Amino acid sequence: MEEIVSLAKRRGFVYQGSEIYGGEAGLYDFGPYGVELLNNIKKNWWRWNVQLKPNYVGLDSAMFKDPKVWVASGHVGGFADPLAECKKCNTRIRVDKELEKIGVPADEKMTEQELGTLFDGNRDKIKCPNCGAKDFTNVRMFNMLVTSNLGDFTGENDTPVYLPGEACQGIYLNFKNIVDTTRMKIPFGVAQIGKAFRNEISPRNFLFRTREFEQADTQYFIRPHENEADYQRIKQDRWQWFLNLGIREENLRWKQHEHLVFYAKDAWDIEYNYPSYGFDEVEGIHDRTDYDLSQHMKYSGTDLNYTDPKTGEKYVPWVLETSMGMGRIFLAVLSDAYKVEEVEGGGTRTVLKLKPELAPVKCAVFPLLKNKPELVARAREVYEILSQNMMCEFDDNGNIGKRYRRQDEIGTPSCVVVDFQTLEDGTVTVRDRDTTEQRRVGIEELVSNL
RNA sequence: GCGGGCGUCGUACAAUGGCUAGUAUGCCAGCCUUCCAAGCUCGAGAUGCGAGUUCGAUUCUCGCCGCCCGCACCA
C-alpha cells in the first residue's frame, strides 16, 4: 500500500488536502491523472447504470437540503450522543443514560456544557461498566454531520444547515418529481453520484475513510414485499460491474451485515482485498423497505404514495439501494492494476494494468529522436490528430525507453512512435503497455486501431 | 478522541548546537541517442508550522498540524 500511495503522489494521482498549509486530515485532492481516472470510473458506472438500463434515470440533487431532511433520515437524532471515555480501558459511556441511572435528570438534547456540569458534579458516583474505574474524560457530543451557515446573515447561526451525511437522500426527495415528470413506472431506479461529508473521528487508511467523499448510489423503487428477487438480481449485477471494471474476482467477496438497522430487511457489502488492510467495504447493497420514503412523508407532510396506473393501488414503495464510495473504488482499481514486473536483463518495470477505457491517458506520442526536427514536427502533427479523439500526451524527453516507462507507470495502454520510416510511408509503431510489443500501422488507421 | 511511534528536496535516504544541509532517483534545459529507465553538461528543489532555551536551533524543550500502528468510532 505504501508503494501505491507513493506512486499516487509521485505521478500526480492523489495529493494530501491543503498540503502547503500542513495538510488537513481526511481530505485528499485528485491530481491531473487522478481526476482522469476518477472521471473514467464514473463514466463507466453511469453508462452501466443509466445508459444501459431502460428503467433507470439519473439525478444530481443540490448538496444543501432543508435541515429537516437530516432529522427525518435519523442522522441528527441518532448521532448526537453525549459520550465520555474511561481513561483506563477506553470504554465509552452514554453520559445522559448514566446520569439517569443514578437519578440525575438528563437527556441527549441538553448542551455539551449542561451535561458536562452535571457529569462533573456526579463523577464520584459513576463507574466504568467495563473496568469499574471512575476516571473519565470530559463529556463530548459526537455528531458526524458537518454543519454550515447557508442563508445565515446574522452570524448567530442558530439554525445550522447540514452538509450531506450521505448522497442518497437527494433521490428520496425527488422521488415524487421523477414520477410526476417522467414516464417512469414502478419498478424503476434512480442513479446519482454525489458528495457526502462526515466528521469521522479518525480518518484513516488513505482514501478509504475520508471526511469528504463521493458516493455513487442507485435507489430502485419497487412494490412492497416484492423485494427478494430484485435484491438478488441487483446483487449479481453489481458484482458483474466490478468484474467489468477489470477488478480481479479473487480480490472481491461478499459480506452480510450481522447487525441490521431496525428497518432493513437485508444488507450485504462487496469487499475488496486492499493491500495492507485486507478485505473491506467498497459498496453496500441494502434492502431498506419503505423506511426512507415513509420518514420523508412524515416529516415533510407530502404524500409520497405511488398510485399504480393499471390497478389504481396506492402504496409507499420499497427501496433497494446500492451505495459505493468513489474513493474506495478508485483505490481498489489502482491497487488491482499496480504491478511491478521483472525485466529481462535485470531491473523492474512498474506498470498500471488499467482497463484501457479507465486509463488517464489513452495514447502517448513520441518522436524517436529529439534532435531530428522533422521527426519532432511529424510527431506533433500525429499528436494533434489523436488529441481530437482521446486524451493524449506528447513526450520527446530523454530516450525512448524512459518515455515508455513513464507511460507504463500511469497506465497508458498505447505509445505511438514516429520514426524515419514514418517520413517515407506514413506508418508509425504502436507499442502495447502489457506486452511491450510493437506493430506498424498507418496514421489513418490509428484512431480505429487504438 | 485516547495510547505509542514518526516528520530533511517530488520520491527514497544521509548529516549537523555554528562553514554553502549531502547522495541517489525523479523533474527542467542542452548535447548525444535509429525503440524499452545508457552517457555527458547545466538548473530548480527540503529541515511540517509556531513559540521557548541559546550569541546561534533542522538538531534541545513545549504547543499545534500531519502521517503510521493499536483501541474506539464507522447510522
Side-chain angles (χ1 to χ4, degrees):
Chain A
M1 181 52 78
E2 269 178 39
E3 289 173 41
I4 291 165
V5 174
S6 168
L7 174 89
K9 171 74 190 290
R10 197 176 62 218
R11 306 264 56 175
F13 282 87
V14 182
Y15 309 122
Q16 171 92 56
S18 306
E19 193 175 287
I20 63 168
Y21 283 92
E24 279 285 296
L27 298 174
Y28 290 92
D29 298 339
F30 289 92
Y33 294 131
V35 66
E36 294 295 335
L37 174 57
L38 186 69
N39 283 340
N40 291 339
I41 296 172
K42 287 185 195 173
K43 246 184 270 173
N44 183 296
W45 184 90
W46 197 264
R47 175 184 146 82
W48 182 278
N49 286 295
V50 180
Q51 187 179 334
L52 296 179
K53 288 189 168 76
N55 62 337
Y56 274 71
V57 290
L59 180 74
D60 187 8
S61 64
M63 218 154 51
F64 287 111
K65 297 167 173 73
D66 189 304
K68 288 197 286 293
V69 168
W70 304 105
V71 179
S73 71
H75 286 78
V76 172
F79 283 87
D81 301 336
L83 299 178
E85 194 169 290
C86 172
K87 286 184 182 172
K88 253 194 174 163
C89 66
N90 291 337
T91 298
R92 286 197 177 163
I93 58 163
R94 277 287 294 270
V95 171
D96 52 331
K97 300 250 161 98
E98 293 297 324
L99 283 169
E100 282 181 338
K101 273 188 206 164
I102 59 166
V104 178
D107 72 65
E108 58 183 293
K109 302 284 184 290
M110 299 171 100
T111 67
E112 186 175 282
Q113 274 192 335
E114 288 171 324
L115 282 161
T117 308
L118 285 175
F119 185 68
D120 288 344
N122 292 282
R123 275 175 182 264
D124 53 324
K125 296 178 203 146
I126 298 173
K127 285 192 298 194
C128 172
N130 183 43
C131 70
K134 292 182 176 178
D135 193 12
F136 290 99
T137 61
N138 287 329
V139 179
R140 295 188 56 90
M141 295 296 260
F142 283 94
N143 190 320
M144 295 184 81
L145 286 177
V146 178
T147 59
S148 184
N149 68 337
L150 185 78
D152 169 42
F153 302 106
T154 64
E156 286 164 10
N157 205 17
D158 47 3
T159 54
V161 295
Y162 301 100
L163 270 64
E166 61 185 11
C168 67
Q169 291 299 326
I171 298 180
Y172 307 135
L173 300 187
N174 286 289
F175 168 74
K176 186 174 154 55
N177 277 337
I178 290 168
V179 169
D180 289 349
T181 59
T182 71
R183 288 158 48 231
M184 288 290 136
K185 293 179 188 62
I186 280 182
F188 73 90
V190 180
Q192 173 174 251
I193 298 176
K195 290 247 179 174
F197 302 82
R198 297 182 191 177
N199 267 324
E200 295 287 352
I201 293 169
S202 105
R204 210 49 90 74
N205 294 351
F206 195 42
L207 295 178
F208 191 81
R209 174 163 294 115
T210 53
R211 289 190 170 137
E212 171 178 344
F213 57 103
E214 206 160 28
Q215 294 179 303
D217 296 325
T218 67
Q219 307 286 330
Y220 193 61
F221 298 96
I222 57 170
R223 290 167 57 91
H225 305 289
E226 296 187 357
N227 50 324
E228 195 49 40
D230 280 328
Y231 187 64
Q232 294 309 327
R233 182 182 50 75
I234 287 171
K235 275 176 64 186
Q236 288 321 306
D237 182 70
R238 292 308 304 148
W239 188 265
Q240 283 308 312
W241 182 78
F242 281 85
L243 300 184
N244 172 269
L245 207 60
I247 304 276
R248 280 171 294 162
E249 193 160 18
E250 66 263 30
N251 284 331
L252 293 170
R253 75 176 185 197
W254 285 107
K255 187 185 182 191
Q256 187 172 25
H257 286 211
E258 287 169 16
H259 306 293
L260 289 175
V261 285
F262 66 93
Y263 54 80
K265 278 278 190 215
D266 203 357
W268 290 77
D269 292 339
I270 293 178
E271 297 190 326
Y272 179 77
N273 189 15
Y274 291 96
S276 304
Y277 336 133
F279 279 100
D280 215 332
E281 177 187 0
V282 188
E283 170 158 285
I285 297 157
H286 304 309
D287 186 343
R288 296 174 68 103
T289 69
D290 65 357
Y291 176 76
D292 304 285
L293 288 181
S294 295
Q295 284 292 103
H296 285 305
M297 248 173 94
K298 192 168 136 193
Y299 281 83
S300 68
T302 304
D303 184 4
L304 299 179
N305 272 288
Y306 175 83
T307 305
D308 187 297
K310 282 197 181 131
T311 65
E313 182 191 3
K314 279 185 113 170
Y315 56 82
V316 178
W318 283 24
V319 166
L320 301 172
E321 173 189 67
T322 73
S323 182
M324 177 175 73
M326 285 306 310
R328 293 180 178 187
I329 186 64
F330 180 96
L331 190 53
V333 165
L334 208 56
S335 305
D336 220 64
Y338 181 81
K339 297 278 179 315
V340 179
E341 295 181 344
E342 299 291 327
V343 178
E344 273 180 63
T348 58
R349 178 175 86 113
T350 303
V351 49
L352 284 187
K353 297 204 167 180
L354 295 167
K355 188 175 185 180
E357 79 176 85
L358 298 183
V361 176
K362 306 299 183 208
C363 178
V365 182
F366 312 146
L368 179 61
L369 297 173
K370 191 183 187 176
N371 61 356
K372 298 288 182 290
E374 61 277 26
L375 289 183
V376 175
R378 192 78 182 100
R380 281 267 174 216
E381 284 172 27
V382 173
Y383 166 73
E384 300 287 343
I385 294 166
L386 293 177
S387 299
Q388 302 295 318
N389 294 292
M390 63 189 93
M391 277 301 295
C392 283
E393 254 183 30
F394 177 88
D395 191 356
D396 62 3
N397 201 329
N399 67 56
I400 193 106
K402 225 168 178 174
R403 291 176 241 156
Y404 284 143
R405 294 300 182 84
R406 212 193 318 241
Q407 296 300 326
D408 288 340
E409 271 200 335
I410 62 167
T412 305
S414 302
C415 294
V416 166
V417 174
V418 168
D419 58 16
F420 292 99
Q421 193 178 331
T422 310
L423 302 178
E424 289 167 18
D425 64 9
T427 62
V428 294
T429 65
V430 179
R431 177 264 196 184
D432 181 82
R433 175 193 70 196
D434 299 331
T435 64
T436 75
E437 280 164 12
Q438 291 169 271
R439 60 202 162 86
R440 277 207 95 82
V441 300
I443 290 171
E444 302 73 26
E445 308 161 42
L446 260 185
V447 173
S448 54
N449 259 303
L450 285 173

